[in-house]
């Protein structure tokens, strides 16, 4: 997986080595938790071989960390399960260090006024 020069210069060797392919896959899916992706799309986005991504997805599915339907994959909505997975914590910390923590108020400010018809209940 390639990284930008800023990440290369400002991230320790330990942090760069710690993110395994499953951690990268889970981190990507968690960052895009409102969507589902095909394995080849995930591979393209994180810069990892599609075979390695497919293997990682299967292992993550065995741990109930991702969901699979047809050819699509999505992160689980079980936040307790995600938070209990150490790779998720490492990936989240690394992404927060690189990109800054998410600002939920800013996200909500960009959200549509009316929820999508498929969404039930409060957002």
């Amino acid at each position: 997986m390639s990284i930008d020069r800023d990440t290369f210069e400002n991230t320790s060797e330990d942090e760069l080595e710690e993110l395994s392919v499953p951690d990268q896959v889970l981190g990507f899916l968690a960052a895009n938790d409102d969507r589902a992706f095909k394995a080849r799309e995930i591979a393209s986005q994180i810069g990892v071989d599609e075979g390695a991504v497919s293997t990682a997805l299967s292992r993550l599915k065995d741990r109930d960390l991702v969901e699979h339907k047809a050819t699509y994959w999505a992160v689980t909505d079980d936040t307790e399960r995600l938070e209990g997975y150490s790779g998720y914590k490492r990936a989240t910390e690394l992404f927060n260090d690189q990109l800054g923590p998410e600002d939920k108020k800013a996200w909500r400010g960009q959200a549509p006024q009316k929820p999508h018809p498929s969404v039930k209940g409060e957002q």
Side-chain angles (χ1 to χ4, degrees):
M1 172 174 113
S2 66
I3 57 175
D4 61 69
R5 185 68 185 188
D6 187 51
T7 302
F8 175 78
E9 291 175 357
N10 296 310
T11 306
S12 73
E13 283 188 48
D14 290 340
E15 289 174 317
L16 291 174
E17 290 178 358
E18 282 185 27
L19 278 185
S20 65
V21 174
D23 292 346
Q24 292 174 54
V25 169
L26 190 60
F28 172 78
L29 289 173
N32 296 281
D33 62 356
D34 61 334
R35 304 188 54 81
F37 298 87
K38 292 183 177 187
R40 74 171 179 268
E41 295 171 315
I42 298 167
S44 172
Q45 290 295 316
I46 66 172
V48 174
D49 176 74
E50 185 178 344
V53 169
S54 294
T55 300
L57 287 166
S58 294
R59 291 181 181 163
L60 292 168
K61 184 177 185 234
D62 290 344
R63 295 179 179 171
D64 294 323
L65 295 167
V66 298
E67 298 171 6
H68 182 229
K69 187 183 283 187
T71 58
Y72 290 91
W73 296 85
V75 70
T76 182
D77 58 1
D78 184 343
T79 54
E80 279 186 42
R81 189 157 204 62
L82 279 176
E83 289 170 0
Y85 177 64
S86 63
Y88 174 75
K89 182 178 182 214
R90 283 194 313 267
T92 301
E93 287 172 354
L94 182 60
F95 290 142
N96 283 344
D97 287 346
Q98 291 175 4
L99 307 171
E102 285 188 74
D103 182 355
K104 290 185 181 184
K105 288 182 182 180
W107 279 101
R108 291 195 188 279
Q110 298 298 318
Q113 296 300 317
K114 295 182 181 179
H116 189 274
S118 66
V119 176
K120 296 178 181 174
E122 197 172 317
Q123 288 189 19

